[in-house]
């Protein structure tokens, strides 16, 4: 039997969270889905919508955001390849936030009813998806602390540390270097700073030889120093979950 590479990618993600049986894997291979390319700034999820599908990010970057009534934006998470975008909608019928593509992205849109049925009838799959959602909540908590209680340099440094760790794990690398496809305005909306302030902080981190920048390529030069300066502890990522 020829295996579907997209479903095998999803199986690997689920199996990284819980021990799944061969029967569980077979059930996942039967999930109905459609693959779709998303252009930058396009919406995957809109606030107020009632999604019938759950997206899994295959490539590219997305961000989750909320808007005030006056149009001010707060980015509340960055989604990277190999992650589920909206597990919330397995059990919540209406979206309370937006998800937009940060770069050109490819997603697998899984039928939410079918995935919900697997979560309810196959305990290992249900546990894996539950763990995914709980880790997402843990990241949200850390972002609240970052915006609310850390200074500007720590906020930006903390976000860089988080992305370096998550991308290294996703890509099976340890080089602490990555492409950051975000404008300074978008970075500011993620850490609660103006674009001018973000630029100033990035230049200061580079001047201290903590990072180097080449356009949107970020390289962390002194991991220990940046981690300590940014109050970064990866515990909230639950890397051993």
């Amino acid at each position: 039997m020829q295996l579907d590479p997209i479903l095998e990618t999803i199986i690997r993600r689920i199996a990284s969270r819980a021990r799944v049986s061969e029967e569980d894997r077979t059930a996942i291979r039967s999930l109905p889905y459609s693959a779709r390319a998303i252009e930058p700034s396009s919406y995957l999820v809109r606030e107020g919508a009632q999604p019938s599908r759950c997206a899994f990010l295959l490539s590219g970057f997305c961000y989750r955001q909320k808007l005030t009534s006056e149009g001010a934006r707060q980015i509340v998470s960055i989604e990277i390849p190999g992650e589920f975008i909206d597990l919330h909608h397995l059990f919540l019928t209406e979206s309370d936030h937006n998800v937009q593509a940060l770069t050109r992205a490819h997603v697998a849109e899984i039928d939410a009813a079918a995935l919900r049925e697997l979560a309810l009838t196959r305990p290992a799959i249900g546990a894996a998806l539950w763990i995914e959602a709980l880790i997402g909540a843990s990241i949200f908590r850390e972002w609240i602390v970052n915006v609310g209680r850390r200074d500007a340099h720590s906020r930006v440094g903390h976000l860089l540390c988080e992305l370096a760790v998550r991308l290294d794990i996703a890509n099976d690398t340890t080089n602490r270097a990555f492409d950051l496809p975000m404008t300074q305005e978008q970075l500011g909306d993620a850490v609660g700073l103006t674009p001018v302030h973000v630029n100033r902080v990035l230049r200061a981190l580079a001047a201290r030889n903590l990072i180097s920048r080449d356009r949107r390529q970020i390289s962390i030069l002194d991991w220990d120093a940046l981690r300590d300066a940014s109050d970064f502890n990866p515990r909230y990522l639950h890397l051993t979950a």
Side-chain angles (χ1 to χ4, degrees):
M1 180 180 67
Q2 186 174 4
L3 300 178
D4 184 323
I6 290 177
L7 289 173
E8 294 307 304
T9 299
I10 293 170
I11 287 172
R12 285 194 294 273
R13 180 68 178 191
I14 291 175
S16 73
R17 299 303 189 196
R19 182 172 295 179
V20 293
S21 66
E22 189 55 41
E23 290 78 10
D24 292 327
R25 294 169 188 265
T26 298
I28 296 170
R29 291 182 182 116
S30 69
L31 283 172
Y33 78 90
S34 59
R36 185 161 72 102
I38 310 293
E39 296 304 317
S41 300
S42 297
Y43 284 83
L44 284 82
V45 178
R46 283 187 178 272
E47 184 170 358
Q50 297 179 332
S52 61
R53 293 179 173 269
C54 176
F56 183 87
L57 186 58
L58 298 166
S59 67
F61 291 76
C62 298
Y63 62 91
R64 200 177 305 276
Q65 49 111 328
K66 292 278 292 185
L67 297 172
T68 69
S69 59
E70 297 180 348
R73 177 179 64 181
Q74 181 67 45
I75 293 176
V76 297
S77 71
I78 305 296
E79 312 304 327
I80 68 171
E83 297 182 345
F84 286 95
I85 297 297
D86 51 353
L87 286 176
H88 318 75
H89 300 126
L90 293 186
F91 296 99
L92 299 177
T93 58
E94 183 177 6
S95 177
D96 56 36
H97 63 279
N98 301 301
V99 179
Q100 282 183 271
L102 186 57
T103 65
R104 194 169 195 270
H106 288 84
V107 299
E109 294 183 320
I110 307 165
D111 182 79
L115 187 56
R116 180 169 58 247
E117 180 68 14
L118 287 191
L120 292 173
T121 59
R122 295 194 165 272
I125 295 175
L129 298 179
W130 184 221
I131 290 169
E132 283 280 293
L134 289 173
I135 292 174
S138 178
I139 293 174
F140 290 154
R141 288 191 291 272
E142 192 70 25
W143 277 49
I144 290 171
V145 174
N146 203 42
V147 171
R149 291 300 177 184
R150 295 190 177 106
D151 63 29
H153 288 73
S154 296
R155 292 184 205 181
V156 175
H158 196 280
L159 178 57
L160 297 181
C161 286
E162 177 185 307
L163 289 175
V165 169
R166 290 171 62 197
L167 288 167
D168 271 352
I169 291 172
N171 298 322
D172 195 24
T173 59
T174 56
N175 56 19
R176 309 297 193 200
F178 55 94
D179 185 56
L180 182 64
M182 299 179 73
T183 65
Q184 291 181 1
E185 179 183 6
Q186 290 166 335
L187 275 172
D189 287 347
V191 296
L193 300 172
T194 66
V196 171
H197 204 166
V198 168
N199 183 55
R200 190 179 302 129
V201 169
L202 288 172
R203 286 191 284 109
L205 293 176
R208 294 166 60 188
N209 291 318
L210 299 180
I211 68 169
S212 67
R213 289 191 296 158
D214 182 6
R215 296 185 179 180
R216 293 187 176 181
Q217 180 73 21
I218 299 289
S219 297
I220 298 178
L221 303 179
D222 190 333
W223 171 256
D224 291 341
L226 182 63
R227 179 198 62 201
D228 293 344
S230 305
D231 187 34
F232 180 77
N233 184 327
R235 182 184 300 117
Y236 70 99
L237 297 174
H238 297 277
L239 302 178
T240 59

